[in-house]
Amino acid sequence: QVQLVESGGGLVQPGGSLRLSCAASGINFRAYHMGWYRQAPGKQRELVAHSSTGGTTDYADSVKGRFTISRDNVKNMVYLQMNSVKPEDTAVYFCAAYFTLRTYWGQGTQVTVSS
């Protein structure tokens, strides 16, 4: 079955860095766009970063210049490098794989930015 497993979340101080990882299995990874979403308490889930099958990337305005998404099509992994984090980056971060009308989600990993 399809599995997306995130790791790397935790507590980080403002201005610090964190790297999230997502291991995918059960899908033809190269055929899926990959994304990182986040959901803060009381807010809707939002797209943070997107990596297309063609290698293009896109970011929410709030994280441009600070976050970087990358993917490894050999290891079936997608990463989110988070630099210069801010308290407003605090949320549960989800990995997603999507292709046409099909979307798969991971279980999420908590990121808390606090001093």
Side-chain angles (χ1 to χ4, degrees), residues 67-78:
F67 291 9
T68 302
I69 188 171
S70 60
R71 62 190 293 166
D72 185 329
N73 288 337
V74 174
K75 295 182 178 179
N76 290 0
M77 298 285 295
V78 62

Side-chain angles (χ1 to χ4, degrees), residues 54-114:
T56 59
T57 58
D58 197 13
Y59 299 90
D61 288 343
S62 58
V63 307
K64 279 181 182 176
R66 300 189 297 120
F67 291 9
T68 302
I69 188 171
S70 60
R71 62 190 293 166
D72 185 329
N73 288 337
V74 174
K75 295 182 178 179
N76 290 0
M77 298 285 295
V78 62
Y79 307 96
L80 185 69
Q81 179 66 42
M82 306 168 61
N83 297 330
S84 303
V85 296
K86 304 175 181 179
E88 51 263 43
D89 295 322
T90 295
V92 178
Y93 284 72
F94 297 89
C95 173
Y98 36 95
F99 176 70
T100 61
L101 299 179
R102 186 171 298 173
T103 301
Y104 298 106
W105 295 94
Q107 82 288 349
T109 185
Q110 176 70 46
V111 172
T112 302
V113 183
S114 175

